[in-house]
Amino acid sequence: MKNLHQDFTLEAEGCQVRIVHHRRVQRAKAEAIAEEEVGRLALTFKILSDPTRLRLVMALLSGEMCVCDLAAFLNVSESAVSHQLRRLKDLALVKQRRDGKILYNALDDEHVYELLKMGLEHVRE
């Protein structure tokens, strides 16, 4: 494992010689994503940064759940869950399926699952 103190010390010192590596800058520009995508990605991470929403989404890793299930799991009101689900649905992180009178919520696709899984693996390292 890296020595975090050493990494922070090196970062604080910065470069010893001021030089711009133009090829590296050009490569980064060529590989950069559009501003609209940057904004949407930042919003996705911002939405997931809320602990309640993150717990809600993580609960859906095990499968679909209705608002009542999620409210019981999170120990919050069904209204609060519905509000959070609306925000997650707007970003295509969660999808809904109706079965009679019950509306089930699930992760929207495999990408959301992988994003959460990778983030959790990173935290556990």
Side-chain angles (χ1 to χ4, degrees):
M1 186 171 181
K2 295 178 181 176
N3 181 338
L4 294 179
H5 177 70
Q6 182 182 13
D7 288 349
F8 289 128
T9 302
L10 290 175
E11 184 178 314
E13 291 175 5
C15 295
Q16 298 296 319
V17 177
R18 173 118 170 83
I19 183 170
V20 175
H21 298 90
H22 294 287
R23 285 187 183 157
R24 293 177 184 179
V25 172
Q26 290 302 329
R27 181 178 62 227
K29 284 183 179 183
E31 294 173 3
I33 62 174
E35 285 300 315
E36 182 179 307
E37 289 178 322
V38 169
R40 187 168 164 91
L41 183 60
L43 184 57
T44 297
F45 283 117
K46 182 178 179 180
I47 291 294
L48 290 174
S49 71
D50 176 80
T52 300
R53 280 192 293 268
L54 186 57
R55 288 182 63 222
L56 188 154
V57 172
M58 295 299 286
L60 296 175
L61 284 171
S62 63
E64 63 183 14
M65 299 173 81
C66 71
V67 170
C68 300
D69 298 335
L70 290 165
F73 172 74
L74 294 170
N75 199 29
V76 298
S77 71
E78 292 175 23
S79 175
V81 170
S82 293
H83 174 73
Q84 300 301 343
L85 284 169
R86 195 169 21 261
R87 298 192 72 191
L88 295 165
K89 191 175 167 225
D90 288 346
L91 284 174
L93 296 171
V94 170
K95 63 183 176 184
Q96 298 178 322
R97 175 185 71 83
R98 182 169 295 282
D99 185 11
K101 293 184 177 185
I102 301 174
L103 191 61
Y104 290 101
N105 301 279
L107 298 180
D108 189 75
D109 61 24
E110 190 69 22
H111 294 111
V112 179
Y113 172 81
E114 291 299 323
L115 177 67
L116 296 169
K117 189 174 131 187
M118 278 200 284
L120 192 55
E121 287 173 6
H122 176 73
V123 167
R124 289 179 173 167
E125 277 186 359

